[in-house]
Amino acid sequence: MNPRFLELELTETVLMQHADSTLSVLSALKSIGVQLAVDDCGTGYSSLSYLKRFPIDCLKIDQSFVRDITSGSDDVPIVRAVITMAQSLRQRVVCEGVETEEQMSFLQAHGCDEVQGYYLGMPLAAEQFGKLLRPGIGSFIPKPRLKSGSTTSPWLISTKYPRPN
């Protein structure tokens, strides 16, 4: 497998435990093309310095910040700030735990690159997912892009729409 197709997700806590050795390992992985993501961003004990210190490609905003963003909670400025900061550092932003159309719309309006959550689909066992990939059983359709010009191409599984050419 080409390493550019592999993305490793590391929590803030893991990144900060042995910062110096972590930096050398992450730099080696990055040099061969592996993508690196910070998972559960904002929930661990860390410093913002890791964002410029480590070769990070993606920040994943934890669902605990996404859950109440449509009710005017204190999470709104946090989510907006993390999205803006990550984009300024040329990092992708993924928001986890999206469960409603309102959350999806909010994140789209604020420039989030990608989302994960039950709004897009429930988790599937590997066998079930494999069945959806077989011709005649399931088809792929592109999910709504969250940001125009996004370089990523995530997909949703659908059994209703024809496979794109």
Side-chain angles (χ1 to χ4, degrees):
M1 176 173 85
N2 187 321
R4 70 185 177 102
F5 296 118
L6 177 63
E7 182 173 87
L8 297 180
E9 295 182 7
L10 305 152
T11 63
E12 292 176 335
T13 304
V14 167
L15 287 174
M16 299 309 291
Q17 281 179 344
H18 304 284
D20 292 332
S21 59
T22 299
L23 177 59
S24 63
V25 170
L26 294 181
S27 295
L29 290 168
K30 189 74 184 150
S31 72
I32 63 170
V34 174
Q35 300 291 302
L36 302 169
V38 176
D39 194 22
D40 300 334
C41 182
T43 62
Y45 173 76
S46 67
S47 166
L48 291 176
S49 67
Y50 78 86
L51 293 175
K52 68 175 187 174
R53 195 167 167 212
F54 296 126
I56 302 299
D57 299 294
C58 176
L59 288 182
K60 297 185 76 176
I61 299 175
D62 187 70
Q63 66 182 342
S64 63
F65 296 105
V66 174
R67 188 175 300 120
D68 296 324
I69 57 174
T70 59
S71 63
S73 72
D74 290 340
D75 294 325
V76 170
I78 294 170
V79 169
R80 284 195 304 217
V82 172
I83 290 171
T84 301
M85 179 179 57
Q87 290 172 340
S88 296
L89 294 168
R90 293 176 298 284
Q91 297 168 343
R92 281 184 359 267
V93 179
V94 177
C95 282
E96 301 174 317
V98 176
E99 296 182 356
T100 68
E101 185 175 350
E102 293 78 18
Q103 290 169 333
M104 179 82 153
S105 296
F106 174 93
L107 295 168
Q108 181 177 12
H110 289 87
C112 181
D113 297 302
E114 300 173 28
V115 300
Q116 295 176 340
Y118 293 156
Y119 178 71
L120 300 177
M122 301 299 277
L124 296 173
E127 184 177 315
Q128 291 172 305
F129 185 76
K131 288 179 182 178
L132 288 174
L133 298 177
R134 292 189 194 135
I137 295 175
S139 299
F140 283 104
I141 60 166
K143 77 171 185 156
R145 290 223 180 260
L146 293 180
K147 188 168 84 175
S148 64
S150 174
T151 58
T152 60
S153 57
W155 298 86
L156 281 178
I157 299 294
S158 169
T159 57
K160 299 178 185 174
Y161 302 98
R163 184 181 304 268
N165 293 333

